[in-house]
Amino acid sequence: MKDKEVKVLKDQRDRRKRVQRIRTGIITFISVWMVLSIVLTAFMCVKIVSLQKQIDILSGNYDESQEVSNKVSSSAADTRNVLIQTIDDKENLAQEGDVHQVYLTFDDGPSEQTQAILDILDDYGVKATFFVNGREDEASLAAYRRIVDEGHTIAMHSYSHKYSEIYASMEAFEADFLRIQNLIYDTTGVDCMYYRFPGGSSNRVSNTDMSEYIQYLNKQGVTYYDWNVSSGDATSQAFTVDELVENVMKDVVKYKTSVVLLHDANTKTTTVQALPAMIEALQASGALILPIDENTRVIQHTSIQK
Ligand code: ZN
């Protein structure tokens, strides 16, 4: 009888141990599975963002304004002997009583929006700067001519705007540069001396060393402009008309010279809608709206000593 009781007790103890072991096993399995899932999800997210960026770069859509955050850096740049200027260049900070000089710059045109942008600028008697890409259909050629005829500054933004092509080599960069410069000259008679790098001079999208290209432009006597005020019209956030105006106004007050990044592209209808309110707000604040010329303070994210 006693032996039987001991056996029953032993069985119960074994069963409890077994259950305990199974429970521990299940909990461990679930914990490991959860941690793995989280790690895997995080990894996939990073991968997706990086792949999306690659796709954008390859299709030439990577956006300048996403590059603003790269403006100041970096040990990489230092090793290339590149002098980095911050956007908040102290000499450009506005003091009480300074007149704000504002340069509206439109990248990526001509587009279906160019005529509407030019109409609005004409309505307000305001001159701007167009950093154009190479397009040779009749409407685009007419747009280049209208930009020049109406007293705006025409400037280059590469022919193809395809990062993978332009920044592939110095030869590729030069070929693209000459192509857009010649197209503008042949179409408008303007010997164009202003340039904006696709992605800005601070772009790090293709791990490109920009100093060679910068040196090339310096040698040609071509001045490149980045920007110190971004409307945000090319970020993935879809800003409203009011927000675009607000984005510009909140930064313009900081500087003596503001070079404002805007886009002239088929999909940028909000930019066109925001333009009248933007011009009115700038004029109401006493700002001078001007086209880029040889007297304009040079705003660059990256520069090298000439
Ligand atoms: Zn662009």
Side-chain angles (χ1 to χ4, degrees):
M1 190 64 191
K2 212 155 188 210
D3 278 359
K4 224 176 181 182
E5 261 177 36
V6 168
K7 193 179 181 311
V8 166
L9 276 173
K10 191 173 177 295
D11 281 354
Q12 279 178 348
R13 206 167 51 233
D14 286 351
R15 197 181 312 128
R16 269 207 302 278
K17 272 190 188 160
R18 252 196 332 272
V19 169
Q20 187 63 39
R21 265 204 304 278
I22 291 168
R23 197 184 292 157
T24 310
I26 290 172
I27 288 170
T28 310
F29 175 77
I30 290 173
S31 304
V32 169
W33 180 75
M34 278 171 72
V35 170
L36 275 178
S37 306
I38 290 166
V39 170
L40 204 67
T41 307
F43 174 76
M44 297 297 272
C45 286
V46 171
K47 199 76 193 156
I48 287 168
V49 169
S50 125
L51 284 172
Q52 184 58 54
K53 199 169 159 187
Q54 298 263 343
I55 290 169
D56 288 348
I57 290 165
L58 288 174
S59 58
N61 289 334
Y62 196 78
D63 202 286
E64 281 82 42
S65 53
Q66 293 170 23
E67 288 297 299
V68 177
S69 57
N70 288 336
K71 66 197 184 218
V72 213
S73 70
S74 76
S75 49
D78 294 340
T79 59
R80 294 175 198 147
N81 210 8
V82 172
L83 172 73
I84 303 290
Q85 298 179 329
T86 66
I87 282 184
D88 289 310
D89 176 7
K90 284 215 173 57
E91 283 176 31
N92 191 30
L93 293 180
Q95 314 285 327
E96 186 84 29
D98 279 339
V99 176
H100 299 281
Q101 302 199 313
V102 178
Y103 297 84
L104 300 177
T105 66
F106 295 90
D107 284 11
D108 300 351
S111 77
E112 290 165 10
Q113 311 296 345
T114 312
Q115 298 299 334
I117 291 170
L118 287 167
D119 288 346
I120 294 166
L121 294 173
D122 186 41
D123 286 345
Y124 287 89
V126 160
K127 307 297 179 207
T129 304
F130 291 80
F131 287 93
V132 297
N133 297 128
R135 292 190 185 99
E136 302 195 28
D137 57 286
E138 272 313 314
S140 296
L141 297 177
Y144 296 136
R145 287 189 203 103
R146 189 178 164 197
I147 288 169
V148 172
D149 289 347
E150 297 190 0
H152 305 286
T153 298
I154 195 158
M156 298 169 277
H157 189 43
S158 82
Y159 190 96
S160 75
H161 203 285
K162 288 187 183 135
Y163 289 65
S164 54
E165 291 176 15
I166 303 163
Y167 300 136
S169 66
M170 190 57 230
E171 292 68 39
F173 181 84
E174 182 176 26
D176 180 276
F177 171 84
L178 293 174
R179 204 169 168 205
I180 185 66
Q181 197 181 41
N182 287 334
L183 175 63
I184 292 172
Y185 183 77
D186 292 344
T187 312
T188 67
V190 172
D191 195 4
C192 196
M193 299 314 275
Y194 304 107
Y195 191 89
R196 176 171 285 157
F197 290 102
S201 66
S202 57
N203 86 76
R204 297 275 181 269
V205 279
S206 3
N207 278 330
T208 307
D209 180 354
M210 296 299 289
S211 58
E212 241 192 300
Y213 308 131
I214 289 171
Q215 254 156 357
Y216 175 79
L217 293 185
N218 287 346
K219 246 182 253 156
Q220 309 301 311
V222 169
T223 307
Y224 64 94
Y225 273 86
D226 290 304
W227 58 92
N228 57 353
V229 174
S230 177
S231 66
D233 70 347
T235 54
S236 41
Q237 280 162 281
F239 286 114
T240 63
V241 164
D242 288 346
E243 286 165 340
L244 289 183
V245 175
E246 169 60 21
N247 289 345
V248 170
M249 295 309 295
K250 79 171 170 18
D251 279 348
V252 158
V253 293
K254 295 185 204 163
Y255 305 116
K256 291 178 192 159
T257 295
S258 292
V259 175
V260 181
L261 179 67
L262 296 155
H263 287 82
D264 168 10
N266 292 347
T267 54
K268 304 295 175 197
T269 48
T270 319
T271 306
V272 180
Q273 289 158 12
L275 196 52
M278 197 177 290
I279 293 170
E280 284 169 28
L282 286 167
Q283 288 179 332
S285 78
L288 274 181
I289 305 175
L290 301 163
I292 285 178
D293 66 16
E294 67 276 10
N295 300 314
T296 306
R297 176 190 289 269
V298 176
I299 301 289
Q300 293 172 341
H301 299 164
T302 308
S303 65
I304 58 170
Q305 270 131 349
K306 289 180 194 180

